[in-house]
Amino acid sequence: MLSQDPICYETYQETAKWLQSRTKIRPKVAIICGTGLGPLAGALTNQETFKYTDIPNFPQSTVQGHAGQLVFGELKGKPCVCMQGRFHMYEGYPLIKVTFPVRVFRLLDVEVLIVTNAAGSIADDYNTGDIMVIKDHINMSGFAGQHPLCGPNDERFGPRFPCMSDAYDKGLRKLALNISRELDCSNILHEGVYCMVGGPNFETIAEARLLHKLGVDAVGMSTAPEVIAARHCGLRVFGLSLITNKVTKDYDCNESVDHEAVLSIGEMRAGVVQSLVTELVARMELNTAS
Ligand code: HPA
């Protein structure tokens, strides 16, 4: 028995064609808005919106803080599509469903995927409200056999054994760091390693200490599956984590974390994240401008 039912190529095609028949916008950049970062989509001009419930074959989002819609539009003249609301493994979705939109984006001829997320910091020198440019990730759920590419491989998307040592585009990371200096926010910007855990509970202290030893800087419950699916089908990837809380590694600490705190930090930093992403999109090189 397979751990997840394959989705056939024609199903992705059906969704892509449905979208193409309803909008003239041909996005080159796709942006996944993480928890509390939905307002990012507000920067798009000439918006055309499709609710996930109306899009054939699309999974549905169940998390508070996620609107559940695709927003097509332009950022500084570049055609984009934003996911307001992503799908998480902890909602019960097989990872092939979590990554369904990424493959649809590929069929829409998207070139770059920008992923954002809310994350807890493991690194000692990060503060709540800081932003981490993702340099690399540890796909902890993949270690446990939960992987978006499990099952038969469709070569039309990519190879059976994709390389992942260049997952986060070096040029885009460098561009983002330069932009942060110009926007005067380099003091809150880091570059680091993200680790995806399954959730939905936040980490125990022993788990946090383990992640620290493994070289993790920030931990969250998303992103790695979408990035893997995107790299598999040849998209360039850029990732940002908004540090919404510090994960405690100290048994004497009485601080606790909850989802509301995660959402409120998202609100506080939405503007900075929006400016960074907008400038990045404005300046990134694409094969075809429209
Ligand atoms: N752990 C895991 N996921 C998260 C956290 C965290 O501390 N904060 C926001 N998402």
Side-chain angles (χ1 to χ4, degrees):
M1 201 184 74
L2 294 174
S3 63
Q4 54 189 0
D5 289 330
I7 298 176
C8 65
Y9 195 80
E10 291 69 28
T11 305
Y12 296 102
Q13 270 183 326
E14 183 191 19
T15 305
K17 283 184 180 151
W18 187 91
L19 289 164
Q20 280 173 330
S21 71
R22 280 162 181 80
T23 174
K24 288 199 168 58
I25 298 171
R26 297 289 175 260
K28 290 291 155 197
V29 180
I31 302 166
I32 302 181
C33 304
T35 305
L37 293 169
L40 243 181
L44 266 59
T45 53
N46 302 324
Q47 292 190 9
E48 290 178 42
T49 298
F50 302 95
K51 289 194 184 321
Y52 294 164
T53 43
D54 294 333
I55 307 173
N57 314 315
F58 234 69
Q60 310 302 321
S61 169
T62 66
V63 189
Q64 182 203 348
H66 287 263
Q69 56 188 20
L70 277 189
V71 184
F72 286 72
E74 289 180 1
L75 266 186
K76 300 251 174 136
K78 297 235 173 79
C80 296
V81 57
C82 260
M83 274 182 81
Q84 269 189 322
R86 62 144 58 86
F87 310 107
H88 302 85
M89 195 171 86
Y90 63 74
E91 292 174 87
Y93 296 112
L95 293 179
I96 199 160
K97 287 219 162 166
V98 168
T99 54
F100 181 84
V102 174
R103 288 180 159 182
V104 171
F105 296 152
R106 174 73 195 88
L107 296 182
L108 293 176
D109 275 339
V110 162
E111 292 177 28
V112 175
L113 177 71
I114 298 179
V115 282
T116 65
N117 61 50
S121 67
I122 297 288
D124 296 318
D125 60 337
Y126 287 13
N127 291 309
T128 299
D130 284 357
I131 293 169
M132 184 183 85
V133 170
I134 306 177
K135 180 180 184 181
D136 201 354
H137 74 220
I138 294 176
N139 176 23
M140 196 63 91
S141 34
F143 287 11
Q146 292 288 333
H147 196 287
L149 304 180
C150 269
N153 185 57
D154 192 326
E155 294 280 335
R156 285 171 286 188
F157 283 117
R160 171 76 286 185
F161 301 109
C163 175
M164 222 35 76
S165 59
D166 56 354
Y168 296 85
D169 191 271
K170 227 182 222 170
L172 292 176
R173 283 193 274 131
K174 194 167 166 215
L175 185 56
L177 293 175
N178 287 340
I179 291 169
S180 77
R181 282 185 213 108
E182 288 173 35
L183 294 178
D184 218 9
C185 62
S186 59
N187 57 323
I188 58 159
L189 212 83
H190 308 270
E191 205 179 32
V193 173
Y194 175 85
C195 178
M196 178 195 171
V197 293
N201 66 281
F202 294 108
E203 291 62 46
T204 66
I205 291 171
E207 286 164 351
R209 289 178 169 206
L210 172 71
L211 295 176
H212 192 244
K213 286 208 168 91
L214 291 178
V216 170
D217 295 303
V219 58
M221 305 172 194
S222 67
T223 301
E226 294 107 313
V227 170
I228 290 167
R231 293 302 297 146
H232 179 245
C233 64
L235 303 187
R236 281 188 288 151
V237 169
F238 175 78
L240 276 184
S241 292
L242 174 62
I243 304 302
T244 53
N245 56 286
K246 287 172 83 108
V247 181
T248 181
K249 302 187 283 290
D250 177 359
Y251 282 102
D252 292 327
C253 170
N254 292 320
E255 276 175 37
S256 62
V257 55
D258 60 43
H259 190 60
E260 277 62 39
V262 169
L263 292 179
S264 78
I265 299 294
E267 245 169 64
M268 178 183 105
R269 281 286 191 241
V272 183
V273 175
Q274 198 178 70
S275 307
L276 256 175
V277 170
T278 304
E279 269 315 299
L280 187 73
V281 171
R283 296 195 209 173
M284 67 173 54
E285 282 182 24
L286 298 166
N287 287 334
T288 38
S290 59

